[in-house]
Amino acid sequence: MTSVSAWWDSVEEWLTGLSFVPQLLVTLVVVIPLAVLIAAALNLLVDTVSDILDRRRFADDDGKGL
């Protein structure tokens, strides 16, 4: 854990040493794909949980839902 903390401190120091435009570009290159991946994972998780908890599938006799 100490090595991860030291690595993160060095990355943070390097990033804050850059001027605004390179900071912005580096942040966008890292944050946007990471945010898209997290959003896709959360979407999959919510869809899966919703399918498991969906009671409308069993609401009628023919199994087609409401």
Side-chain angles (χ1 to χ4, degrees), residues 7-65:
W7 174 80
W8 183 253
D9 286 341
S10 65
V11 169
E12 184 181 23
E13 184 178 345
W14 170 76
L15 187 60
T16 57
L18 297 174
S19 63
F20 175 73
V21 174
Q23 278 185 12
L24 178 68
L25 293 175
V26 168
T27 303
L28 289 177
V29 165
V30 172
V31 170
I32 289 178
L34 188 61
V36 168
L37 288 174
I38 290 171
L42 285 174
N43 187 30
L44 181 64
L45 177 68
V46 168
D47 283 344
T48 303
V49 171
S50 295
D51 287 342
I52 291 171
L53 299 177
D54 188 14
R55 295 182 184 182
R56 290 182 294 170
R57 291 182 292 160
F58 307 110
D60 56 356
D61 293 334
D62 61 359
K64 294 182 181 178

